[in-house]
Amino acid sequence: VRPPEYKLILSVLYQAIIDYYGLVSTVTRAETREARAWIDNEHAHESWSCRWICDHLGLDHPSLKKALKKAIAPHPQIPHNL
């Protein structure tokens, strides 16, 4: 049985991935850069950092980052290397 906050934690990561790729037309370039910096941050271990969320979801943070970088960004106006 998952703890009640599981869905909340998962939704934070889900939104970050949407912002990471600019999957919604209302996502700005600044939000995309912020999401990428948040996901890429190796050293953040505080509550609600991407690494902390991955730990709570049982995901490997470096593997998540690698998979996101391998995937092709679907938003053609936002280069993946911002």
Side-chain angles (χ1 to χ4, degrees), residues 1 5 7 9 19 21 30 33-34 36-37 46 49-51 55 60 62-63 65 79:
V1 176
E5 63 273 4
K7 284 185 179 180
I9 294 169
D19 293 351
Y21 287 124
R33 283 191 298 271
E34 289 170 10
R36 290 178 181 178
E46 66 270 359
S49 68
C50 187
R51 180 179 290 278
D55 289 346
D60 181 62
S63 295
K65 288 182 3 176

Side-chain angles (χ1 to χ4, degrees), residues 7-80:
K7 284 185 179 180
L8 175 61
I9 294 169
L10 184 59
S11 69
V12 171
L13 182 59
Y14 177 78
Q15 185 63 51
I17 292 170
I18 288 172
D19 293 351
Y20 184 93
Y21 287 124
L23 291 175
V24 180
S25 63
T26 58
V27 174
T28 66
R29 286 179 182 248
E31 290 168 328
T32 297
R33 283 191 298 271
E34 289 170 10
R36 290 178 181 178
W38 181 78
I39 288 170
D40 288 343
N41 191 341
E42 285 286 333
H43 305 292
H45 297 282
E46 66 270 359
S47 295
W48 299 100
S49 68
C50 187
R51 180 179 290 278
W52 181 89
I53 285 176
C54 285
D55 289 346
H56 279 75
L57 296 175
L59 302 172
D60 181 62
H61 182 242
S63 295
L64 173 71
K65 288 182 3 176
K66 186 176 181 180
L68 291 173
K69 287 181 188 234
K70 271 186 161 180
I72 297 171
H75 195 296
Q77 296 175 340
I78 302 175
H80 188 69

